[in-house]
Each structure stands twice: as structure tokens, then as C-alpha cells.
Amino acid sequence: MIKTLVMAGTMLALSAVSATAGPGDDPTTAVKGETVAAAIARLGYSTSMHKDAEGEPHIVIRDKPDNVNKMAVFFSDCGNWGCEDITFYAGYTPSRNATMEMMNEWNHIGANLRSRASISGNGSTPNGEPSISMTVSLMSDSDIDKIAWLAGLFVVETQMFASSLGK
């Protein structure tokens, strides 16, 4: 009984602490941009660090994979310890193969892909830039190996998507 009360009290205390912390304020669920850049460097890509309009990190992959027009990493829910959400992004030049049907097929749950496809443009016949993105959450600086693995998986999917576009 005492053990149960102690555990319940501990959980209540931890809940109170985490309830006052904001996004990115828990070092077990927030990662720094520098850690993500180091993970990407393990894959052999060079990066440059920037800040977005809200002051959150933004990474540009300078020597992006073949067939990718631009590649970046965006962060959100940032705080004192880092950021809770990492979004890998790849943009491509417009392609006539980038149809709504192709996007839907890529995004279908049965495709078993981690990234999601989109295309810019108007209405039901967009003709703008196709892109894919993959968001991962609640990583920490100690998860650098896992982040490198996920970034590598995203790079593989960038090439699969480029192939779907006919590139």
C-alpha cells in the first residue's frame, strides 16, 4: 500500500512539473538542431544552419541527393532544451507525373511509406512543386543514431518519389 502511494505521489509530482514545462523544455523529448545536423552529416551530407521567422532552427542540406530540387529540415515546438518535432522535407521541380492520383497513391496507408506527398497549385489540378515530408517527434540529443537512421530512410524515400515522378 505504501509503495503504491509513493508511486502515485511521484507520478503526480512529475505530472505537475511537466504541466508547467512548455514545448521543448524536456531534455528527454527535445532535440537540438545541431544534433540533427550531426546525424545528417553521418550520412555524408553537408548542411547549413539557419533560424526561421519564429527563431526556430532550420537546416538546409546543401549537397542533396540526386533528383531532389531542395531539401531541408524544419523544427517546431521548440523550447529551452530543443525541439519536439523534426520535419524532413524534399521539394522537386514540377512534373506532369505529379497528379493528385499519384499523391493519393503515395499517401495511402497501404503504401507503408513514412513520408507524405503533396503538390502546390490551385484546386483539383495543381501543377506546382511536388514535395514529400516526414515528421518525427519526441527525439532527444541521445537519439542521434535513430535520427540518422530516420534521415537515411527519408533519403531513400526521396529517390523512390523521384522515380515516381519520372526523374
Side-chain angles (χ1 to χ4, degrees):
M1 177 75 160
I2 292 176
K3 190 175 184 180
T4 303
L5 288 172
V6 168
M7 286 177 53
T10 301
M11 290 176 70
L12 183 61
L14 288 174
S15 296
V17 169
S18 65
T20 60
D25 286 341
D26 182 348
T28 64
T29 61
V31 64
K32 293 178 180 62
E34 293 80 11
T35 302
V36 175
I40 293 168
R42 287 183 177 187
L43 300 175
Y45 296 104
S46 62
T47 63
S48 58
M49 292 287 297
H50 305 273
K51 296 273 184 184
D52 67 14
E54 287 85 36
E56 294 177 334
H58 171 106
I59 298 172
V60 173
I61 291 103
R62 292 191 301 240
D63 53 347
K64 62 203 171 299
D66 291 341
N67 305 318
V68 175
N69 190 37
K70 54 187 164 190
M71 192 167 177
V73 182
F74 301 97
F75 296 82
S76 57
D77 291 334
C78 300
N80 295 323
W81 286 98
C83 303
E84 292 180 359
D85 296 314
I86 306 165
T87 300
F88 298 97
Y89 171 84
Y92 301 81
T93 56
S95 166
R96 68 177 188 274
N97 294 340
T99 63
M100 291 303 289
E101 291 79 14
M102 184 252 186
M103 299 297 142
N104 288 336
E105 183 177 322
W106 184 272
N107 293 334
H108 191 276
I109 189 110
N112 292 317
L113 297 165
R114 293 185 183 261
S115 61
R116 293 291 162 244
S118 63
I119 185 167
S120 61
N122 296 324
S124 61
T125 57
N127 60 359
E129 235 180 42
S131 65
I132 61 171
S133 62
M134 179 177 74
T135 300
V136 295
S137 300
L138 306 176
M139 296 284 164
S140 72
D141 288 332
S142 65
D143 291 322
I144 189 167
D145 292 334
K146 190 182 299 182
I147 295 166
W149 183 85
L150 289 166
L153 177 64
F154 183 71
V155 168
V156 168
E157 290 193 9
T158 67
Q159 296 307 286
M160 292 169 57
F161 191 74
S163 178
S164 296
L165 292 172
K167 299 188 181 285

